[in-house]
Amino acid sequence: MNNMYKGEYVPPTLTVDSVIFQIINAQLCVLLIARAQEPFRGSLALPGGYNAVGETTHEAMKRTLLAKAGISTDSLGLIEQLYTFDTVARDPRGHAVSVTYMGLGKDLTIKQSKGAQNPVFIPVSQLPELAYDHDEIIKYSHERLRAKITYTNAAFALLPKLFTLSQLQGVYEAILGKELDKRNFRKKFLSLELIEKTQKIYKEGAHRPARLYKFKQQRLQELSRSFE
Amino acid sequence: MNNMYKGEYVPPTLTVDSVIFQIINAQLCVLLIARAQEPFRGSLALPGGYNAVGETTHEAMKRTLLAKAGISTDSLGLIEQLYTFDTVARDPRGHAVSVTYMGLGKDLTIKQSKGAQNPVFIPVSQLPELAYDHDEIIKYSHERLRAKITYTNAAFALLPKLFTLSQLQGVYEAILGKELDKRNFRKKFLSLELIEKTQKIYKEGAHRPARLYKFKQQRLQELSRSFE
DNA sequence: ACAAAAGTGTTAAGAATACACCCATGT
DNA sequence: ACATGGGTGTATTCTTAACACTTTTGT
């Protein structure tokens, strides 16, 4: 295994995969594409692809996400590296190493580009069988997201600039998978001082209009006291 | 950048690096080696090396740690993958991707093996200038460790099977970099029910002997309430 | 007897939880 | 007038934080 000393070093294949989350209809959804090629042709999979020499993993992520799903990373509110998986046993084509990223967005529009492969957002609670071990990766990612919203303001990346407290609570409920008490949620969240009232009102449906709030910062911040 | 479609795909170099922590004299120390080759010949660096095809990153970590520092991963209480760094700009030899692991141990004995490169444990508070951006990696790793001990029982990996409450508190103080109140620390930690009293007593020095405790589990557990 | 670390309890302030009704709107 | 989601307060329990003296040993 000391090939490198003899000048015969051969690196494994390097790939990147993206787990892009978005809340749709109060459900946490993940971006998947239908694979156009073997292996797992026709199965749903995370968007991803090869990472060649000279390209950073972040650049490869950006490129593959745009190519396979027509989504620009600029439209994501937050991107972070998740974990690096060894795929020795996992990929039928042989040894590869996959660097995974998690991205959070809202109102993501999928542009059907030339090379795109039918990108869709599917609720994480209703995933069909996926290619490779992508279900494991999504589960891991969901776990990370759950943790992330409890000690940071990451929810900003899943909400519009202006939002109601009910929408905010809905994001937490969708990710944590449980209902929260409205009064306690509001009291706690407001006491964290991450958001502020605006003068705007959101009218919708046959009920009392809601006040709109906004995050003070549109970038990741740690909470002073963790949540839930 | 679509070389792979033409069968010309060339992956970047893949390397692994390990950040191995140990508490020595109430100080958090990290394992470093003196580089025997260019680049950064003579500088201190994290132990690491190439990861060739057919080998998982974990296997490569294990192998390089043994080869460069004579430390067996079996002697570590905890190992976890940290982060994957792109080294396009960082490595003078060109584009590489480095998967980093964090390991925690106690009483680690460095065996000077044939290929070993003067491995030493150095307090993180007194690091000299290091090769590459290894200082950044260590800082990141320290941050992760700080978080880890506040929401898990990870401290078990840095302590002997039996330990005194003062030793346990010392681990927290060394990692958090601040002093803690003895009474509050004990009350809180005991209430978490992760450790239990033993009948053993530790006598040392000209003072009252201390009761020894042990962790109920020698594997990672989340705390019911997070710490500090 | 002294030095050195071990061990121990109370009080006050802050945070979390449980819980139910009125408000503003559209139909 | 009714259905729908928006908005609000209090009492209780639990958790944290601040704080100082006695005990046991070796020399």
Side-chain angles (χ1 to χ4, degrees):
Chain A
M1 201 43 67
N2 283 336
N3 315 5
M4 51 279 192
Y5 296 128
K6 304 179 221 130
E8 295 166 14
Y9 168 69
V10 178
T13 296
L14 185 68
T15 62
V16 293
D17 288 298
S18 302
V19 183
I20 308 300
F21 287 121
Q22 179 176 206
I23 306 279
I24 302 175
N25 294 331
Q27 290 193 294
L28 182 66
C29 297
V30 63
L31 176 64
L32 296 170
I33 58 163
R35 284 187 60 82
Q37 289 139 331
E38 294 298 339
F40 297 106
R41 181 175 186 147
S43 290
L44 287 174
L46 293 170
Y50 291 92
N51 188 159
V53 66
E55 192 184 30
T56 65
T57 56
H58 191 275
E59 286 162 358
M61 187 276 239
K62 189 172 168 142
R63 175 180 54 76
T64 55
L65 191 58
L66 190 61
K68 304 238 169 140
I71 286 180
S72 159
T73 49
D74 299 335
S75 63
L76 298 173
L78 194 62
I79 297 171
E80 81 171 35
Q81 193 193 294
L82 245 197
Y83 199 80
T84 297
F85 294 89
D86 284 292
T87 61
V88 176
R90 174 183 140 198
D91 192 321
R93 288 165 303 179
H95 187 196
V97 170
S98 170
V99 180
T100 56
Y101 281 84
M102 175 169 78
L104 306 179
K106 52 158 210 295
D107 296 332
L108 295 175
T109 50
I110 290 170
K111 285 191 287 279
Q112 291 292 348
S113 63
K114 201 168 47 206
Q117 298 167 16
N118 297 312
V120 282
F121 277 96
I122 300 201
V124 294
S125 58
Q126 297 160 37
L127 293 177
E129 201 146 298
L130 302 182
Y132 305 104
D133 55 354
H134 285 185
D135 55 335
E136 289 297 325
I137 296 177
I138 293 168
K139 210 181 289 176
Y140 180 83
S141 192
H142 186 175
E143 206 47 62
R144 178 81 73 95
L145 177 58
R146 201 189 309 262
K148 206 92 191 170
I149 61 165
T150 68
Y151 69 90
T152 73
N153 65 347
F156 79 83
L158 295 162
L159 285 166
K161 285 255 164 38
L162 299 178
F163 54 88
T164 69
L165 293 179
S166 295
Q167 288 175 309
L168 178 60
Q169 183 173 342
V171 167
Y172 276 84
E173 291 179 334
I175 294 169
L176 300 176
K178 65 178 179 191
E179 301 205 335
L180 302 173
D181 179 88
K182 185 163 51 158
R183 278 172 294 187
N184 291 341
F185 179 86
R186 289 171 182 223
K187 199 185 325 161
K188 172 85 190 264
F189 214 95
L190 290 170
S191 79
L192 293 172
E193 306 202 312
L194 296 170
I195 59 174
E196 58 192 14
K197 252 190 202 179
T198 69
Q199 290 318 306
K200 305 235 171 66
I201 298 288
Y202 179 66
K203 270 194 192 178
E204 174 255 13
H207 54 83
R208 179 172 173 175
R211 160 135 284 138
L212 288 165
Y213 288 77
K214 66 174 179 186
F215 277 91
K216 289 182 184 172
Q217 308 267 349
Q218 286 284 128
R219 28 166 259 269
L220 202 62
Q221 285 184 285
E222 295 227 341
L223 272 50
S224 50
R225 317 190 303 278
S226 91
F227 200 86
E228 298 310 296
Chain B
M1 202 45 63
N2 282 334
N3 315 6
M4 52 280 191
Y5 295 129
K6 306 179 220 129
E8 295 165 18
Y9 168 68
V10 178
T13 296
L14 186 68
T15 62
V16 293
D17 288 298
S18 302
V19 183
I20 308 299
F21 286 120
Q22 179 176 205
I23 307 280
I24 301 176
N25 295 330
Q27 289 193 294
L28 182 66
C29 298
V30 63
L31 177 65
L32 296 170
I33 58 164
R35 284 188 58 83
Q37 288 139 334
E38 293 299 339
F40 297 105
R41 180 174 186 147
S43 291
L44 288 174
L46 294 170
Y50 292 92
N51 188 159
V53 67
E55 191 184 30
T56 64
T57 56
H58 191 275
E59 286 162 357
M61 188 275 245
K62 189 172 168 142
R63 174 179 56 76
T64 55
L65 192 58
L66 190 60
K68 304 241 168 136
I71 287 180
S72 159
T73 48
D74 298 335
S75 64
L76 298 173
L78 195 61
I79 297 170
E80 80 171 37
Q81 192 193 294
L82 245 195
Y83 199 79
T84 297
F85 295 89
D86 283 293
T87 62
V88 175
R90 174 183 139 198
D91 191 322
R93 290 165 302 178
H95 186 198
V97 170
S98 170
V99 179
T100 56
Y101 281 85
M102 175 169 76
L104 305 179
K106 52 156 209 297
D107 295 333
L108 296 175
T109 52
I110 290 170
K111 284 192 287 278
Q112 291 292 348
S113 62
K114 202 167 46 207
Q117 298 166 15
N118 297 312
V120 282
F121 277 96
I122 300 203
V124 293
S125 58
Q126 296 160 37
L127 293 178
E129 202 145 297
L130 303 182
Y132 306 104
D133 56 353
H134 286 186
D135 56 334
E136 288 297 326
I137 296 177
I138 293 169
K139 210 181 288 174
Y140 181 82
S141 192
H142 187 175
E143 207 46 64
R144 178 82 73 95
L145 177 58
R146 202 188 308 262
K148 207 92 191 171
I149 61 165
T150 68
Y151 69 90
T152 72
N153 65 347
F156 79 83
L158 295 162
L159 286 165
K161 286 256 164 38
L162 298 179
F163 54 88
T164 69
L165 292 180
S166 294
Q167 288 176 310
L168 177 62
Q169 183 174 341
V171 167
Y172 276 84
E173 290 179 335
I175 295 170
L176 300 176
K178 65 176 179 192
E179 302 206 336
L180 303 174
D181 179 87
K182 185 161 54 155
R183 280 172 293 188
N184 290 340
F185 179 84
R186 290 172 182 223
K187 202 184 323 160
K188 173 85 189 267
F189 214 95
L190 290 169
S191 80
L192 293 172
E193 305 202 311
L194 295 171
I195 58 175
E196 58 192 12
K197 252 191 203 180
T198 68
Q199 290 318 305
K200 304 235 172 66
I201 298 288
Y202 179 66
K203 269 194 193 178
E204 175 257 12
H207 55 83
R208 179 170 173 175
R211 157 130 297 132
L212 289 165
Y213 287 77
K214 66 175 182 187
F215 276 91
K216 289 183 183 172
Q217 308 267 350
Q218 287 283 129
R219 23 167 266 267
L220 202 63
Q221 286 185 282
E222 296 226 340
L223 274 47
S224 50
R225 319 190 301 280
S226 91
F227 200 86
E228 295 313 293

